[in-house]
Amino acid sequence: MKVDVVSLFPAYLDPLNLSLLGKAQTQGLVQVQVHDLRNWATDPHRSVDDTPYGGGPGMVMSPLVWGSALDHIREGAQTKPTLIIPTPSGEPFSQVLAAEFSRAEHLVFACGRYEGIDSRVGVHYSSSEQWEKVREISIGDYVLAGGEVATLVIIEAITRLIPGVLGNPQSVVDDSFSRPDSFIEGPVYTKPLGWRGLEVPEVLRSGNHGAIEQWRQDQAQARTRKYRPDLLTEIPPEQV
Ligand code: SAM
């Protein structure tokens, strides 16, 4: 997968070179390129924003600069990219979307700042035959200062689903939001057996795989009821 990120603060994206994703890049599974949006600013101050039409506080990012940046990336691409615009007013990000994006060949992330990117940018590229599609994505019901952290979140969730990125592919199957039963994952333990007066549950030491599986299922269900009852409404009653 090829990933391009356009930002006013390229250094914000440095963590993409660490850990699993850093290794995935070394292995050639993912190629990430980060671009400084100011490279496409044309005035002496290298401005990327302007005052909002209709008045109001803050500044809006210019479609002129974004258009030049995105056209440049498209010109250098072999295949039609998908443009992802992180925004709190977008479609909620989820594991289902992460799985969908993990099958894309080329993703381009447009990191907004200030009051966001002029809305015509998304509209224009949505109707362009040169681009696969445009998705406006929110990572949650809160407002960040910029799209960089949202982009890191989305890229990390996507790339760990690319075959070969995780050491053990089974990890993904058991994850919260990926399980066929829709439960979030229950508690996990490692050595030592006792720690500060807290013991690892007996059943996990029993060697009885059936009992262990049933315990994990019960714990996952209890945790889902406690923290995410909204997920239970989506499960057929016979599985609850
Ligand atoms: N005025 C905008 C609104 O209320 O929808 C918020 C703009 S926010 C200060 C600046 C940038 O941060 C956005 O353009 C977007 O790139 C990013 N951002 C902030 N919160 C986000 C969220 N929950 N999900 C995705 N991106 C977010």
Side-chain angles (χ1 to χ4, degrees), residues 152-217:
L152 288 173
V153 167
I154 298 168
I155 293 177
E156 184 157 316
I158 292 169
T159 50
R160 68 190 287 283
L161 299 180
I162 294 173
V165 170
L166 284 185
N168 183 350
Q170 185 63 25
S171 317
V172 166
V173 179
D174 293 338
D175 275 341
S176 302
F177 314 115
S178 298
R179 301 159 52 106
D181 57 19
S182 302
F183 298 150
I184 49 178
E185 200 175 75
V188 293
Y189 303 89
T190 185
K191 296 177 189 69
L193 210 51
W195 179 77
R196 301 190 182 183
L198 298 168
E199 289 278 308
V200 173
E202 183 79 44
V203 63
L204 298 180
R205 301 177 258 151
S206 67
N208 180 337
H209 297 297
I212 291 172
E213 192 39 51
Q214 185 59 54
W215 182 87
R216 286 188 169 144
Q217 180 84 2

Side-chain angles (χ1 to χ4, degrees), residues 14-180:
D14 284 354
L16 293 175
N17 298 318
L18 302 174
S19 183
L20 272 182
L21 190 47
K23 200 164 144 219
Q25 290 191 70
T26 312
Q27 291 173 326
L29 296 170
V30 183
Q31 296 161 268
V32 180
Q33 211 177 341
V34 180
H35 310 262
D36 186 343
L37 180 66
R38 277 199 211 279
N39 290 340
W40 289 278
T42 50
D43 70 334
H45 302 292
R46 302 181 80 205
S47 344
V48 296
D49 57 344
D50 213 325
T51 51
Y53 271 113
M59 301 292 273
V60 175
M61 297 187 97
S62 162
L64 298 172
V65 186
W66 273 108
S68 303
L70 296 172
D71 289 350
H72 175 90
I73 290 170
R74 176 62 189 98
E75 277 157 25
Q78 313 288 323
T79 54
K80 290 184 185 186
T82 291
L83 175 60
I84 299 183
I85 305 178
T87 167
S89 59
E91 176 183 0
F93 189 52
S94 64
Q95 193 68 13
V96 171
L97 280 187
E100 178 190 328
F101 293 148
S102 74
R103 293 187 285 271
E105 282 185 58
H106 187 183
L107 299 174
V108 178
F109 289 82
C111 301
R113 283 267 154 185
Y114 320 124
E115 292 304 317
I117 301 172
D118 185 305
S119 297
R120 289 170 293 182
V121 172
V123 174
H124 170 77
Y125 289 103
S126 297
S127 59
S128 164
E129 289 189 353
Q130 295 301 309
W131 290 73
E132 185 63 31
K133 58 189 158 192
V134 175
R135 299 292 280 269
E136 297 190 78
I137 303 292
S138 166
I139 63 158
D141 295 348
Y142 40 77
V143 179
L144 303 165
E148 290 76 12
V149 171
T151 294
L152 288 173
V153 167
I154 298 168
I155 293 177
E156 184 157 316
I158 292 169
T159 50
R160 68 190 287 283
L161 299 180
I162 294 173
V165 170
L166 284 185
N168 183 350
Q170 185 63 25
S171 317
V172 166
V173 179
D174 293 338
D175 275 341
S176 302
F177 314 115
S178 298
R179 301 159 52 106

